[in-house]
Every structure is written in structure tokens, then in C-alpha cells.
Amino acid sequence: MRAVPLELDLPKGCNMSVRYDEPHAAAKAANTLIRWLAEIGISMAGTRALRVRGRKAGRLRGVVINVLTVADLDYLVSPRGTTHWVRNVRAAGEVEVGPRWRSRRVRAIEVDDPAKPELLRRYLDKWFWEVKGHIAGLTPDSSDDQLSAAASSIPVFALADLG
């Protein structure tokens, strides 16, 4: 795992913390296979296909994600930090989630840092085994203070119907 500095398209004066744990070659290969399965409707441990328009060429870009559901609301969490898909979601404001033949287009609304700790705790409870080492040093046993301190480096989006 290596941290990669990014050039961000952020508004002037934005103090958002930037962290990106770039996946190594084996993780990229595994993610490609798992994404392909998710795109045809086969979920592994809750994975789903996510497609978002690229911020430069405008083509749909696909990744595999875990959708966290809390109180009937769906959330996207980026344990690796400000990844390319996060940057694309921020630019596009909407995503497609689900297999290609049954996807739904939704708005993606970034969650404010003070609301993230409880969502991060639930995410860690469910998927820590999968994301350990990539989620800013957090564990399911992290304190509220640790979750709050890491919140700015872990993008979280609420999904809402377009309308």
C-alpha cells in the first residue's frame, strides 16, 4: 500500500484532507474480477457495481463498492480515501449502482464530517475484514475520537433518488 498525492479539483480555500491508498497490482486485478461479477449481478459479501461519469472524458467509469444501508438509506464509503471514483462522484453528483441490466441512477450527496463517525463504525463492523489496512488505521474498536479524527480523510456519500 502506498499513499499517492493527488491533484484535486477542489474549490479555492477548501481544507479537505486528502488521502489515497492506491491498490497494488494484485488488488486491482481482484477488484476487476469482483467488479465484473457485480456488473452481471453476482455479489460477493455485499459488493455492488458503481458507475460514474469521468470528470475529464465523460465516459462511464466502473468500480466495485460496498453499499452501507442504515435506516433504509444507502451510503457509499471510500475506505481508500480520495480515489478517482470519489473525485468523479464529486464532479458528477450522480452515480449508477447495481448490475448493468438492473442499475438505478441516484444522486450522491457528500456527508459532512460530524455525521460520519457512526456510519464509519457500522461500515467497519460489517467490512473491516475486507478493508483493514486501507481505512486510515481504524478498526471496529476505534474510539469516537479516533473515528472523528479520521472522518475528513474518508469520503462518504448518501444516495438519494433523482428528482
Side-chain angles (χ1 to χ4, degrees):
M1 167 182 63
R2 64 184 176 144
V4 177
L6 295 175
E7 293 178 29
L8 291 180
D9 310 320
L10 296 175
K12 191 172 187 169
C14 183
N15 295 336
M16 190 177 309
S17 177
V18 177
R19 179 185 61 84
Y20 175 30
D21 293 333
E22 185 175 4
H24 52 75
K28 286 180 181 180
N31 284 341
T32 298
L33 174 63
I34 295 167
R35 177 177 46 94
W36 180 80
L37 290 170
E39 285 179 348
I40 63 169
I42 300 171
S43 174
M44 298 182 68
T47 58
R48 301 233 194 109
L50 174 79
R51 286 170 301 286
V52 60
R53 291 240 173 254
R55 63 196 176 284
K56 295 181 182 174
R59 291 189 323 233
L60 279 178
R61 312 295 286 180
V63 296
V64 64
I65 47 90
N66 294 315
V67 176
L68 176 67
T69 303
V70 177
D72 294 327
L73 294 175
D74 289 338
Y75 295 91
L76 304 178
V77 177
S78 180
R80 289 186 179 272
T82 305
T83 61
H84 292 286
W85 75 259
V86 167
R87 295 168 66 194
N88 288 337
V89 169
R90 286 177 175 155
E94 64 183 53
V95 299
E96 292 180 16
V97 180
R100 288 192 180 274
W101 53 273
R102 192 185 60 198
S103 65
R104 68 181 176 128
R105 225 173 79 204
V106 294
R107 281 187 313 151
I109 304 153
E110 194 148 7
V111 174
D112 292 331
D113 290 349
K116 290 180 186 177
E118 180 58 29
L119 297 171
L120 294 176
R121 183 171 309 286
R122 289 175 185 240
Y123 188 89
L124 288 164
D125 285 344
K126 190 164 186 176
W127 287 296
F128 178 71
W129 63 273
E130 183 180 330
V131 299
K132 62 183 171 203
H134 306 297
I135 191 153
L138 298 174
T139 71
D141 298 323
S142 293
S143 69
D144 291 343
D145 288 341
Q146 290 170 318
L147 292 167
S148 293
S152 66
S153 72
I154 303 170
V156 177
F157 297 89
L159 301 181
D161 289 330
L162 290 171

